[in-house]
Amino acid sequence: MRPDSSWQPPIRRPRRLRQNETIRSLVRETSLLPSQLVLPQFIVEGHDIIEPIEAMPGRCRLSIDRTITECKQAIALGVKVFALFPRVPDSLKTNDGQEALNPDSLVNQAIHAIKENCPDACLVADIALDPYSAVGHDGLVSPQGKVLNDETVKVLAQMAVNHAQAGADIVAPSDMMDGRVGAIRSALDHAGFTDVAILSYTAKYASSFYGPFRQALESAPVDAPNVPRNKKTYQMDPANSREAIIEAMLDEAEGADMLMVKPGLPYLDIITTLRSRTQLPIAAYHVSGEYAMIKAAGRLGWLDEKACMQESLIAIARAGADIIFTYAAMDYARWWRESQA
Ligand code: PBG
C-alpha cells in the first residue's frame, strides 16, 4: 500500500472511551436495575404444582405455595414486582367471564397469600377477561361475534375493584377497550381505593409474539362460529405509530399512572415516541415470544442466551422504558449481581 499523504490522523476518536470496561462503564448512558423489572407469574390451582411451560423454557405454571417460594427468591434478588396471570380451569370459563368477579378467585387467593408471606411484594393484577372467557377474548363477545366495548368496560371496572379489595397494589388493564382507564379510576375511587395505581397497556399491538403466553394460559381465541379468530378489532395494528400517541393521550387524561408499550423489542420506536410525549413512567413488556426466541436459539447453540437477553433488555431501557415486564427478570437480576461483585 502506498502511504496516502493527504490522510490526517483523526482528532476525534470515539474508541478512546471504549478501551476497557472501566471506561466503558464510566460513559455508559443507560443502566437497568433489578428494581425496574416486573416478573410475570402464571398461577394454577392446587398444591406443590410446578408445570413447565413448553414454549417458555425456564418458566412454569405454579401453585400458590410454589409461587410464594419463587417470589421470595425474586425479592432476594431485588425483583419485587409481580404480574399475576391465572390458568383458570376450563370448568370456570364462561362466555361472560364471571369468574373474574369472584372475590375468592385464584388470583385473589394468590394476592392474599403472597401479601401475607412477602410483605415487600408489589402486586400487579391484570384486567382483561381472556383467562376467564370461554371464547378466549379480552372482552364480551356478542352472539354475532362482535367484541362489545362499553359492556366490557363495566365488567372490567368491577374486576379492578375485585382485585383491589383482595390487595392488589396496581391494576393493569390489558384489554384495549376504549374508555376503560377512566371507568376503572372512577370505580376504584368510589370504592375507596384511591391509592391503587393504574398501569395501562396503552399501546398493545395485535402481535403474534403472544403465542407462548396463550399456550401457558390456554387462553387463545377459540375456533368457533361467531368468535373472532384474532384480537385485531381491539389490539393495535402493528403498522401504526401515530395511533399510539392517541391512545397515550387518552389514557393519561383518563387517569393512568403509568403507560405500557407491548411487545418490547419490535416496538422500540413506539417506546421512544411515547417517552417524548408524556411525563408518566413508561413500561414495556418483553413478551413471551421474544423470550422464547432467545431461549430457543440459545438451546440450539445459535445465540448466546445471556448476552442476547441482556442486550434486549438494555435496548428496551435505552429506547425509553423505565419499567420492563420480562420472564427473564430473575436471570437478569442474577447476572446483574454477578457483575457487581
Ligand atoms: C391478555 C394478555 C396477553 C398478554 C398479557 N396479557 C395476551 C393477549 O393479549 O392475547 C401477553 C403477554 C406475553 O405474550 O408475554 N390480556
Side-chain angles (χ1 to χ4, degrees):
M1 256 207 350
R2 247 194 296 153
D4 178 350
S5 57
S6 70
W7 191 79
Q8 294 291 319
I11 292 173
R12 302 295 311 267
R13 289 182 186 263
R15 288 187 58 193
R16 282 185 197 119
L17 302 185
R18 296 178 200 144
Q19 292 187 69
N20 55 56
E21 179 52 24
T22 304
I23 200 153
R24 286 192 295 273
S25 54
L26 180 71
V27 298
R28 189 159 292 140
E29 298 175 34
T30 309
S31 60
L32 179 63
L33 302 173
S35 58
Q36 294 172 268
L37 303 179
V38 178
L39 177 63
Q41 293 282 31
F42 298 108
I43 300 164
V44 278
E45 286 191 339
H47 187 77
D48 198 21
I49 292 176
I50 303 178
E51 291 175 2
I53 301 161
E54 199 191 340
M56 299 177 71
R59 300 304 302 154
C60 299
R61 287 181 291 247
L62 302 174
S63 52
I64 291 174
D65 55 317
R66 288 288 182 173
T67 304
I68 290 168
T69 306
E70 195 176 72
C71 288
K72 285 183 179 165
Q73 291 165 354
I75 290 168
L77 289 165
V79 175
K80 300 181 182 173
V81 191
F82 305 98
L84 308 179
F85 297 100
R87 165 59 177 107
V88 178
D90 290 344
S91 60
L92 292 178
K93 295 188 181 190
T94 55
N95 283 345
D96 60 5
Q98 276 298 304
E99 177 63 13
L101 305 183
N102 178 1
D104 196 33
S105 68
L106 185 57
V107 172
N108 281 0
Q109 290 176 30
I111 293 171
H112 284 298
I114 298 169
K115 281 279 168 184
E116 201 175 303
N117 289 278
C118 312
D120 288 344
C122 173
L123 300 183
V124 183
D126 203 70
I127 306 298
L129 294 182
D130 51 321
Y132 305 95
S133 161
V135 292
H137 276 285
D138 293 25
L140 301 171
V141 182
S142 78
Q144 293 74 35
K146 186 174 180 197
V147 178
L148 301 169
N149 195 86
D150 298 9
E151 293 82 348
T152 299
V153 166
K154 286 197 189 90
V155 181
L156 296 177
Q158 290 173 268
M159 185 179 179
V161 172
N162 181 33
H163 292 320
Q165 268 157 352
D169 301 281
I170 298 172
V171 293
S174 68
D175 58 291
M176 291 301 281
M177 297 300 127
D178 294 329
R180 91 278 209 213
V181 171
I184 289 172
R185 185 70 272 159
S186 154
L188 288 173
D189 291 350
H190 280 101
F193 296 108
T194 51
D195 290 338
V196 171
I198 300 178
L199 192 167
S200 176
Y201 285 63
T202 292
K204 177 172 180 178
Y205 285 85
S207 171
S208 297
F209 287 104
Y210 306 151
F213 175 99
R214 294 181 190 170
Q215 182 193 90
L217 295 188
E218 297 175 73
S219 62
V222 301
D223 191 0
N226 289 330
V227 176
R229 297 300 305 128
N230 56 54
K231 301 188 176 183
K232 292 181 185 179
T233 68
Y234 46 106
Q235 298 179 347
M236 283 178 57
D237 183 337
N240 290 0
S241 74
R242 294 194 305 269
E243 196 183 345
I245 303 172
I246 297 175
E247 289 283 3
M249 298 302 99
L250 287 169
D251 283 358
E252 185 164 349
E254 289 175 33
D257 299 284
M258 296 168 266
L259 306 181
M260 186 195 279
V261 175
K262 177 182 177 184
L265 219 46
Y267 297 87
L268 295 185
D269 58 320
I270 308 300
I271 297 172
T272 304
T273 301
L274 292 200
R275 176 68 292 155
S276 69
R277 293 293 190 124
T278 176
Q279 302 308 316
L280 295 178
I282 303 276
Y285 204 136
H286 181 240
V287 302
S288 57
E290 300 178 73
Y291 173 86
M293 287 195 294
I294 295 174
K295 284 283 183 179
R299 292 193 156 199
L300 286 166
W302 292 355
L303 285 179
D304 177 337
E305 177 194 322
K306 173 180 171 182
C308 290
M309 205 67 89
Q310 287 178 314
E311 183 178 334
S312 296
L313 296 176
I314 204 72
I316 292 169
R318 186 202 64 232
D322 308 292
I323 303 161
I324 303 178
F325 284 53
T326 176
Y327 302 98
M330 289 172 72
D331 291 333
Y332 183 89
R334 273 190 212 100
W335 299 327
W336 186 86
R337 179 165 291 194
E338 284 161 19
S339 75
Q340 300 304 105

